[in-house]
Amino acid sequence: MGSRPLTDPERAWIAHLRAVHQKRVALGFAIIPASFAIALALREWGPHRPDEVSTLAVGVLAFATILLGVPLSILLVRDQFAAERNLGRDLTGGSAWLFEPPADMAPAIADAETPARVGIAFALLPRSQRIVDPADRSPRARREDVIEVEPHSGSGLYAPLSLEVTRATPGLRFHQRPLSAPERLELERIGRRLAAPRVSTAIAAVALVWLVSLAAANHAPAEGDPPPGVAEAALTVLGGLICARRLVRDARSLVLARRIRQDLDVGLIVRADRESEGGSEFLPISRLLWRLGSAPAGWRDRGHGAERLRRDL
């Protein structure tokens, strides 16, 4: 509905959030050195001389540091730094966006983690996309979704009943409407991103082949070679499982991309209305939730919708 200037308490609230995000950035940079320092301390300063069990424990800790600590540190530093930078830009800009619900929009049902914003007037910081609430002093890197939608709900765009309903539930009514042009563009973009080849997929495939070859060689060592250690076998199995999980997720994303293309061919969205609550919309082939009540589904985002779907596969 427009914008308004930030008040002095809201500016102090933003400054507090920036300070907390800066502390978390410093913590993210300290994760890797602290993990290796702990591993070395356990290895050298233990009460007993290092044996195979302690060596295995230190090896697992070092592997977990490289495998989990490095990505965790990168994500923590990146997200917290981006949140702090965006809050700084909001503070410099000095204004917030105003949102007001349409007069004919019913309130959404909130859960314990996601308060309902549909049917409630609120202000939003433009860069960090955080709800303006000085009472909420907890720092979060998650941003609210701002999605451009058409001004109507689609209730007047019902298509012919070309999709057959196989099971009917008492009190549940089904309707259909065609995909609008912006919705088709959004689905086409998500389908392309899900089906796009990824460098990490090739790396996981090569690594899996190498680990399988390594495990086969260790299973039948050549004459004179020492048998593989417990730590080496455990790390090989763990690495193989991680690579296989990555390949399975990429395969599922390709299947989902194909179903989204089928939804585009059908060109319809199904709406289910219950007597006691607002309706929801979903895609008939991929079964993806499209709208819940009058609000877009939580996974829909202009830049990260495909990644949000991929994480749930």
Side-chain angles (χ1 to χ4, degrees), residues 217-292:
N218 291 335
H219 182 71
E223 185 176 354
D225 292 341
V230 177
E232 183 180 355
L235 294 179
T236 301
V237 172
L238 180 60
L241 292 177
I242 294 173
C243 294
R245 177 69 180 90
R246 178 71 192 196
L247 293 176
V248 169
R249 174 176 293 180
D250 291 338
R252 289 178 176 176
S253 67
L254 291 177
V255 173
L256 181 57
R258 180 175 60 83
R259 291 177 178 173
I260 289 177
R261 288 195 297 269
Q262 294 174 348
D263 283 320
L264 288 170
D265 293 336
V266 172
L268 296 174
I269 287 181
V270 179
R271 181 177 181 87
D273 293 324
R274 289 185 179 274
E275 296 177 353
S276 59
E277 60 186 30
S280 60
E281 293 181 344
F282 62 92
L283 300 172
I285 307 300
S286 62
R287 305 292 182 177
L288 291 175
L289 182 65
W290 191 249
R291 282 178 180 266
L292 183 60

Side-chain angles (χ1 to χ4, degrees), residues 110-248:
D111 54 29
E113 298 180 356
T114 307
R117 295 295 174 185
V118 179
I120 302 175
F122 63 95
L124 187 76
L125 296 176
R127 298 293 303 187
S128 58
Q129 293 182 6
R130 174 166 177 148
I131 301 296
V132 178
D133 184 6
D136 183 8
R137 302 179 66 83
S138 59
R140 290 191 302 271
R142 182 182 64 83
R143 298 154 59 94
E144 296 289 341
D145 295 331
V146 180
I147 305 172
E148 295 181 3
V149 296
E150 296 185 50
H152 57 76
S153 64
S155 59
L157 296 177
Y158 293 138
L161 295 178
S162 57
L163 293 175
E164 180 182 357
V165 179
T166 57
R167 292 187 301 272
T169 303
L172 187 64
R173 300 185 303 274
F174 288 96
H175 310 279
Q176 295 173 165
R177 68 173 180 87
L179 285 167
S180 64
E183 289 172 335
R184 292 191 68 90
L185 291 176
E186 181 181 355
L187 271 178
E188 289 172 356
R189 181 175 62 250
I190 291 173
R192 286 195 303 268
R193 291 182 177 179
L194 286 173
R198 300 167 66 90
V199 177
S200 58
T201 304
I203 295 175
V206 173
L208 182 61
V209 172
W210 178 74
L211 289 172
V212 170
S213 302
L214 183 62
N218 291 335
H219 182 71
E223 185 176 354
D225 292 341
V230 177
E232 183 180 355
L235 294 179
T236 301
V237 172
L238 180 60
L241 292 177
I242 294 173
C243 294
R245 177 69 180 90
R246 178 71 192 196
L247 293 176
V248 169

